[in-house]
Amino acid sequence: MLKLPGLIDPHVHLREPGATHKEDFDSGTSAALAGGFTIVLAMPNTKPPIFDASTLKLALDAAKQKARCDYGQYIGAGPENAKSAASLSGTVAGLKMYLDSTFGELRLDDMSLWMPHFEKYPRSQPIVAHSESRTMAAVILFAAMYDRPIHIAHVSLKEEILLIKAAKERGIKVTCEVCPHHLFMVSQVSSEERGKRKEGRREVRPRLATQQDVDALWDNLDVIDCFATDHAPHTLAEKDSDNPPPGFPGLETALPLLLTAVDDGRLTMNDIITKMHSNPRKIFNLPEQPETWVEVDESTTYEIKASEQFTRCGWTPFEDWKVKGKVRKVILRGKTAFEDGKILVEAGYGRNVRGS
Ligand code: DOR
Ligand code: ZN
């Protein structure tokens, strides 16, 4: 039996408020525990989006009642909320800036709208940026100009990881995360391949990339600070519709997929501990969780099945994938929170990592 520290996922979408048919703080944090995570940081692209004190209260009240693991809530950067977002920083996980298109309404196109946020948001927390390709270069310039930490969400391209590597070498305060789906899945370019599957189930932002991009991520593991799931549940009916929303669930598949890569010799156990515990804890300034650990049976081989998951969305892009390594038990702050497929802590056991 392998013992790991409580894992931290700095990037999840729990859909509360506004879309609890996809997920809520109860189902999402249950999925987190089943996946070996004891802290999740929830994104603000909900309905309504979390961008001021009253919308933040909606999310935090729901979380307080329903969360089963510890959590933090991001606030979203809007065109006019730089001052209030900064004043709420003590109660949130960090500031999320949507600078490229994705699911939801939060998006800042004009770079002059980025400036007040870079001026005002406290340097004790990173600004997390959804920024792809050249937008990423722009936000890294901002980090350099304002000399403040930024964290780049879901890096997927070769040009992006090489840019971040170069920025780090020049002392710019940039950290980054990569998602399992961008490490294990490749875009299907041939039309023949494309016809075989329902396309909606492969829609995700950033899009799945080429083999060359995937190889570049694996070749630059030392540049990757965190593995984050970008757990983005949408129901199967939504994914198979004519207008499928982008996003994959990931909380319950990340650790088994990454442990399988350890077994294959592509990663080390130390990579898992640093990128899923120590680094996110440091980058997001998260509290220690006393008497907290995860027990994993390293030798169990099994197939991933959506029917065994706690996420409410009812599917996974990794259905039937063979993995090696199963979460047996999660102890959270002295209590057995998960054991052999069962959640054993009540809704409301989870605490806000910012202490309110
Ligand atoms: O695929 C995605 N889905 N990418 C995002 O950035 C947002 C997410 C969502 O909220 O569904
Ligand atoms: Zn996301």
Side-chain angles (χ1 to χ4, degrees):
M1 196 69 75
L2 169 76
K3 201 169 154 180
L4 293 172
L7 304 181
I8 299 170
D9 190 344
H11 193 149
V12 303
H13 298 266
L14 299 184
R15 310 303 188 202
E16 186 154 18
T20 53
H21 68 286
K22 299 178 201 268
E23 203 78 292
D24 70 357
F25 276 97
D26 182 349
S27 60
T29 55
S30 297
L33 287 169
F37 294 98
T38 55
I39 298 180
V40 290
L41 303 184
M43 286 295 165
N45 63 334
T46 47
K47 273 185 191 157
I50 309 305
F51 72 102
D52 63 3
S54 66
T55 48
L56 177 61
K57 188 172 180 319
L58 290 177
L60 291 183
D61 284 352
K64 192 170 188 165
Q65 279 182 26
K66 297 188 184 177
R68 294 178 198 254
C69 73
D70 294 348
Y71 59 87
Q73 172 65 54
Y74 286 98
I75 191 161
E80 277 159 7
N81 70 342
K83 210 169 149 197
S84 68
S87 74
L88 291 166
S89 65
T91 55
V92 300
L95 178 75
K96 177 73 186 283
M97 297 184 87
Y98 286 94
L99 309 176
D100 281 302
S101 268
T102 183
F103 183 71
E105 339 162 2
L106 288 168
R107 176 166 156 185
L108 292 177
D109 279 329
D110 186 327
M111 282 188 283
S112 67
L113 298 174
W114 308 3
M115 291 175 184
H117 289 288
F118 272 82
E119 271 158 27
K120 294 192 170 66
Y121 203 75
R123 285 169 165 70
S124 54
Q125 283 174 8
I127 290 177
V128 177
H130 179 142
S131 60
E132 300 177 34
S133 191
R134 293 175 190 199
T135 315
M136 189 182 295
V139 82
I140 289 174
L141 173 66
F142 270 64
M145 286 193 309
Y146 290 88
D147 190 29
R148 62 146 303 133
I150 58 165
H151 179 78
I152 309 274
H154 41 51
V155 174
S156 64
L157 301 179
K158 180 177 180 179
E159 62 172 357
E160 295 173 347
I161 198 73
L162 295 181
L163 175 70
I164 292 167
K165 181 173 191 238
K168 285 183 174 193
E169 284 165 3
R170 284 156 182 78
I172 299 174
K173 297 184 177 73
V174 54
T175 56
C176 72
E177 65 187 36
V178 170
C179 305
H181 51 265
H182 291 126
L183 287 171
F184 296 107
M185 295 175 81
V186 180
S187 67
Q188 291 176 339
V189 277
S190 84
S191 53
E192 190 190 327
E193 278 293 309
R194 206 171 268 159
K196 285 187 196 158
R197 282 175 188 256
K198 294 210 166 132
E199 275 305 280
R201 298 193 197 181
R202 297 185 67 84
E203 278 295 341
V204 67
R205 296 292 175 279
R207 290 187 166 83
L208 296 176
T210 67
Q211 188 62 51
Q212 218 198 4
D213 292 307
V214 173
D215 292 345
L217 298 178
W218 284 100
D219 288 345
N220 289 281
L221 283 175
D222 56 329
V223 184
I224 300 172
D225 299 281
C226 308
F227 294 135
T229 64
D230 195 8
H231 179 77
H234 299 285
T235 65
L236 259 193
E238 292 163 343
K239 294 296 281 180
D240 290 345
S241 72
D242 290 339
N243 193 15
F248 296 160
L251 280 167
E252 291 160 272
T253 46
L255 183 60
L257 289 166
L258 293 164
L259 286 170
T260 306
V262 172
D263 191 60
D264 291 342
R266 306 178 78 194
L267 276 183
T268 66
M269 209 52 88
N270 193 46
D271 287 325
I272 294 208
I273 294 168
T274 56
K275 297 178 203 302
M276 300 178 87
H277 174 78
S278 332
N279 287 348
R281 201 171 142 230
K282 222 182 304 162
I283 292 166
F284 294 91
N285 200 5
L286 298 171
E288 199 167 341
Q289 296 175 296
E291 286 183 78
T292 297
W293 70 88
V294 177
E295 291 177 9
V296 169
D297 186 342
E298 283 173 282
S299 57
T300 302
T301 305
Y302 66 103
E303 283 180 6
I304 291 173
K305 299 285 174 199
S307 59
E308 290 168 12
Q309 297 195 335
F310 286 89
T311 176
R312 198 164 282 160
C313 70
W315 75 288
T316 162
F318 304 107
E319 185 75 26
D320 297 335
W321 283 38
K322 261 204 182 59
V323 287
K324 189 170 176 187
K326 199 172 184 99
V327 177
R328 282 282 172 224
K329 200 172 185 174
V330 178
I331 312 287
L332 172 54
R333 287 183 280 102
K335 254 184 137 174
T336 302
F338 173 86
E339 188 169 17
D340 291 330
K342 292 197 179 63
I343 300 290
L344 300 175
V345 283
E346 70 278 15
Y349 183 70
R351 289 197 194 152
N352 187 343
V353 294
R354 298 299 182 221
S356 62

